[in-house]
């Protein structure tokens, strides 16, 4: 493995962030050390741009970030989306219908497109991250009041793996199905993954895939690992991601990202 990389792509939840949504001083110091060596840090997250902006400010990030499972490339410096893909309402409704025909009622939420888009949740949907702001609506059809980037799904009885498996089996080309965390099965525009947005952002930065080091913890990070030169899974990562990772580090609570960066970007 190379001594250093030009691009460090980090997932947020379960990876760079601790359980309380903070980044440790050790992780911040390790990222700063890598930056001094010339490496660029790129957040690659399932969170939409509006839910990432405050965190990017805390990180002092003024560059690019990949948001919305790769459907958005956001420029923190200018505060605008450089690229975004929407999930059309008709495709979302058809996909939901096919899933509910198999498993019964599911509960849905949506992330609206745009830098000021809201997260809307229908009755019965429980936010997996209670710290993230959301707006409850009275009926499902209110979810489509504005263009969306993705749909989030939950089921009262099925596990995330079970719900994702059913969704992948019946949705087909209507949408891409991802699982990005506990209680987070999502539908996003067909063909769009974290690797889509990461590749676009890396091209803008003039960095190739072999120069990229990626950190993640869930199946939605698999395309990012397939694209990057080296993929590092967290200790608590989903078994599917661990199976194809190039290495496994400590947990997010134990500064697993920092552990690897300190080795690759030593002092002096």
């Amino acid at each position: 493995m190379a001594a250093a990389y030009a691009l460090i792509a980090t997932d947020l939840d379960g990876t760079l962030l601790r359980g309380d949504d903070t980044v440790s001083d050790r992780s911040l110091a390790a990222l700063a050390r890598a930056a001094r060596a010339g490496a660029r840090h790129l957040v690659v997250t399932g969170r939409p741009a509006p839910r990432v902006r405050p965190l990017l400010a805390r990180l002092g990030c003024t560059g690019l970030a990949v948001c919305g499972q790769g459907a958005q490339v956001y420029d923190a410096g200018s505060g605008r989306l450089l690229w975004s893909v929407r999930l059309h309402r008709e495709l979302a409704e058809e996909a939901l219908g096919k899933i509910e025909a198999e498993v019964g009622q599911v509960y849905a939420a949506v992330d609206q497109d745009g830098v000021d888009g809201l997260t809307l949740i229908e009755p019965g949907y429980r936010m997996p991250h209670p710290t993230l702001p959301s707006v409850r609506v009275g009926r499902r059809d209110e979810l489509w009041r504005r263009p969306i980037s993705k749909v989030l799904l939950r089921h009262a009885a099925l596990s995330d793996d079970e719900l994702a498996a059913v969704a992948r089996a019946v949705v087909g080309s209507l949408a891409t199905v991802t699982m990005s965390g506990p209680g987070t099965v999502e539908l996003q525009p067909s063909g769009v993954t974290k690797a889509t947005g990461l590749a676009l952002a890396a091209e803008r930065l003039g960095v190739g895939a072999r120069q990229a080091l990626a950190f993640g913890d869930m199946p939605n990070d698999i395309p990012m690992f397939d694209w990057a030169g080296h993929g590092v899974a967290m200790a608590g990562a989903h078994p599917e991601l661990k199976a194809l990772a190039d290495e496994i580090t400590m947990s997010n609570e134990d500064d697993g990202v920092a552990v690897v960066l300190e080795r690759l970007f030593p002092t002096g």
Side-chain angles (χ1 to χ4, degrees):
M1 186 168 59
Y5 290 86
L7 182 65
I8 301 165
T10 64
D11 172 50
L12 289 179
D13 298 290
T15 302
L16 182 62
L17 295 182
R18 290 183 166 183
D20 61 359
D21 267 11
T22 62
V23 181
S24 73
D25 289 341
R26 181 181 179 185
S27 292
L28 289 172
L31 287 169
R33 177 189 300 180
R36 289 193 296 271
R40 306 288 291 271
H41 176 218
L42 191 65
V43 166
V44 184
T45 177
R47 297 191 186 195
R51 307 286 87 83
V52 179
R53 289 163 65 186
L55 176 63
L56 295 176
R58 294 200 299 272
L59 288 171
C61 177
T62 58
L64 304 182
V66 177
C67 308
Q69 303 292 14
Q72 301 172 327
V73 176
Y74 174 69
D75 183 353
S78 66
R80 63 189 182 94
L81 288 172
L82 302 182
W83 183 80
S84 66
V85 182
R86 295 173 175 176
L87 176 59
H88 294 293
R89 170 181 179 166
E90 293 78 10
L91 297 179
E93 289 186 306
E94 185 177 351
L96 281 172
K98 287 180 176 290
I99 294 168
E100 290 188 319
E102 294 291 325
V103 302
Q105 184 176 17
V106 297
Y107 301 102
V110 300
D111 286 333
Q112 293 179 332
D113 188 38
V115 294
D116 297 311
L118 302 174
T119 297
L120 304 182
I121 59 178
E122 72 174 352
Y125 185 88
R126 236 177 352 101
M127 282 292 289
H129 298 288
T131 60
L132 296 179
S134 60
V135 177
R136 189 170 295 279
V137 299
R139 304 183 313 275
R140 177 170 291 181
D141 60 8
E142 295 181 65
L143 296 177
W144 325 116
R145 61 174 59 159
R146 280 182 51 189
I148 64 169
S149 61
K150 65 179 178 178
V151 178
L152 301 89
L153 304 176
R154 301 196 75 163
H155 191 276
L158 296 180
S159 69
D160 298 328
D161 286 295
E162 291 169 335
L163 179 57
V166 171
R168 290 190 186 103
V170 301
V171 165
S173 62
L174 294 172
T176 296
V177 179
T178 61
M179 182 170 59
S180 60
T184 313
V185 175
E186 302 178 357
L187 305 177
Q188 61 199 69
S190 181
V192 172
T193 68
K194 281 191 172 184
T196 309
L198 176 55
L200 286 170
E203 183 178 10
R204 284 180 173 267
L205 297 174
V207 179
R210 289 179 178 272
Q211 300 170 285
L213 170 69
F215 292 86
D217 74 311
M218 293 298 290
N220 65 321
D221 295 313
I222 289 174
M224 179 168 69
F225 276 30
D226 287 339
W227 181 86
H230 192 78
V232 183
M234 311 307 289
H238 191 282
E240 289 182 20
L241 188 69
K242 281 185 172 180
L244 58 82
D246 294 298
E247 71 172 288
I248 298 171
T249 185
M250 305 289 285
S251 73
N252 58 319
E253 300 293 341
D254 294 319
D255 301 316
V257 171
V259 169
V260 175
L261 294 183
E262 288 165 356
R263 183 186 82 237
L264 295 177
F265 299 92
T267 56

